[in-house]
Amino acid sequence: MSVYVAAHKAFSTELPESHKPIFVGANKNTPIFEIADNKGDNISDKNAYFCELTALYFIWKNTDDRYKGLAHYRRYFKGKKGILTEPEIDKILQNYDVIAAKPAYLRETAYEEFSLHSGHSRDLDLLRETVNELYPEYIPAYDNVFGSNRLHLYNMLIADAQTFDKYCEWLFGILLALEPKVDMTGYTDYEKRLYGFLGERLLNVYILHNSLSVYSCDVLNTEMKFTEDLKIRLRGIKNRILFKFSR
């Protein structure tokens, strides 16, 4: 079992034995960890656009762990005493298909929220077009997810190798087919992280279409103060109520 921790810099969090740091964007920066996303079959040079998905791609193509997972250097799945441990993961995956971040509740639909805060609606339209070309059977789930206000975020997941690899094959098939269609002229550096943002949303589409059972896990943010975390949780509750009564 390995949960790979995507990072582009050194960090001080003490990791459980099952967690392994992976340096992302290694094609353009000198790796500081033993594992880097520019080894083997990789898309490291796309890191500015794919974010932690370059680590996800590496895990898919270059590892053979029984269970595979992805976390971030400052975000981890939360266990009983800090970061989720291997025994806890093993117990959970005996009853669930995948571990994902506890859903965030948005004030708008996922389509509206992305268009307002993360990028451009035209890219979502191109994404839907691409999904329809490659996997038309996923369109009902796609429309359901983007019409809702509930999302598992962060591109964080843990699953058995077969489930993990099948998801990655589907995800990267779509994103790499979409890439030539997208014109990023005039995009900010934040907006250029497009494929990372789309990956977060597509995970939800894949889960829904395939009826995967999800263990929704709290996320431990090592750089977030308690007051900030509480504020986000309260906002989620408020958004859940507002969305229910505004639709």
Side-chain angles (χ1 to χ4, degrees):
M1 175 189 298
S2 292
V3 178
Y4 294 84
V5 180
H8 64 277
K9 63 179 184 179
F11 60 96
S12 59
T13 305
E14 186 175 343
L15 300 177
E17 188 176 342
S18 57
H19 286 57
K20 301 175 181 179
I22 175 172
F23 192 86
V24 295
N27 263 8
K28 297 182 180 179
N29 299 282
T30 304
I32 57 173
F33 308 126
E34 181 181 351
I35 305 171
D37 71 351
N38 67 340
K39 306 297 183 182
D41 188 346
N42 72 85
I43 55 169
S44 178
D45 58 347
K46 299 181 187 291
N47 181 255
Y49 314 104
F50 280 67
C51 308
E52 63 278 341
L53 293 183
T54 60
L56 193 75
Y57 186 95
F58 173 90
I59 299 165
W60 167 39
K61 289 292 189 177
N62 301 287
T63 68
D64 58 0
D65 303 278
R66 182 169 63 101
Y67 292 133
K68 301 182 182 185
L70 179 64
H72 301 213
Y73 72 94
R74 59 192 175 98
R75 291 192 184 101
Y76 304 88
F77 290 117
K78 188 175 182 180
K80 290 182 178 179
K81 296 180 179 180
I83 298 172
L84 202 65
T85 63
E86 182 169 343
E88 289 175 317
I89 294 168
D90 189 64
K91 185 176 180 180
I92 291 168
L93 291 180
Q94 289 178 25
N95 299 295
Y96 294 88
D97 296 317
V98 63
I99 299 171
K102 186 167 286 188
Y105 287 89
L106 315 170
R107 187 168 184 175
E108 306 91 1
T109 65
Y111 184 97
E112 293 166 340
E113 188 273 342
F114 178 91
S115 304
L116 288 169
H117 305 296
S118 299
H120 302 271
S121 59
R122 63 177 177 269
D123 293 328
L124 291 184
D125 297 337
L126 286 172
L127 177 63
R128 188 182 188 280
E129 175 187 292
T130 304
V131 172
N132 192 45
E133 290 169 357
L134 297 175
Y135 301 100
E137 68 275 18
Y138 278 78
I139 287 298
Y142 183 99
D143 290 340
N144 185 308
V145 167
F146 279 94
S148 75
N149 76 324
R150 180 181 182 275
L151 290 174
H152 301 285
L153 294 173
Y154 311 130
N155 286 314
M156 289 172 57
L157 72 154
I158 305 174
D160 67 83
Q162 183 178 22
T163 301
F164 188 99
D165 290 349
K166 282 185 177 181
Y167 166 63
C168 288
E169 181 179 9
W170 176 85
L171 173 68
F172 288 106
I174 292 168
L175 294 182
L176 294 176
L178 170 67
E179 197 176 14
K181 302 177 183 180
V182 173
D183 179 4
M184 290 194 182
T185 303
Y187 281 29
T188 65
D189 287 345
Y190 181 76
E191 291 168 342
K192 287 178 181 178
R193 293 161 60 185
L194 173 66
Y195 302 99
F197 295 144
L198 296 182
E200 291 181 284
R201 284 128 182 103
L202 285 174
L203 173 60
N204 296 266
V205 176
Y206 190 83
I207 286 171
L208 180 61
H209 175 80
N210 292 285
S211 301
L212 299 183
S213 56
V214 180
Y215 180 85
S216 294
C217 192
D218 279 321
V219 171
L220 175 66
N221 190 321
T222 58
E223 296 184 358
M224 184 178 288
K225 296 178 181 178
F226 172 78
T227 52
E228 293 178 89
D229 181 62
L230 180 60
K231 184 178 179 181
I232 290 173
R233 290 175 185 273
L234 291 175
R235 184 172 64 202
I237 295 171
K238 180 181 177 182
N239 288 344
R240 193 172 183 177
I241 295 169
L242 287 174
F243 187 87
K244 179 179 179 181
F245 288 101
S246 64
R247 291 296 187 276

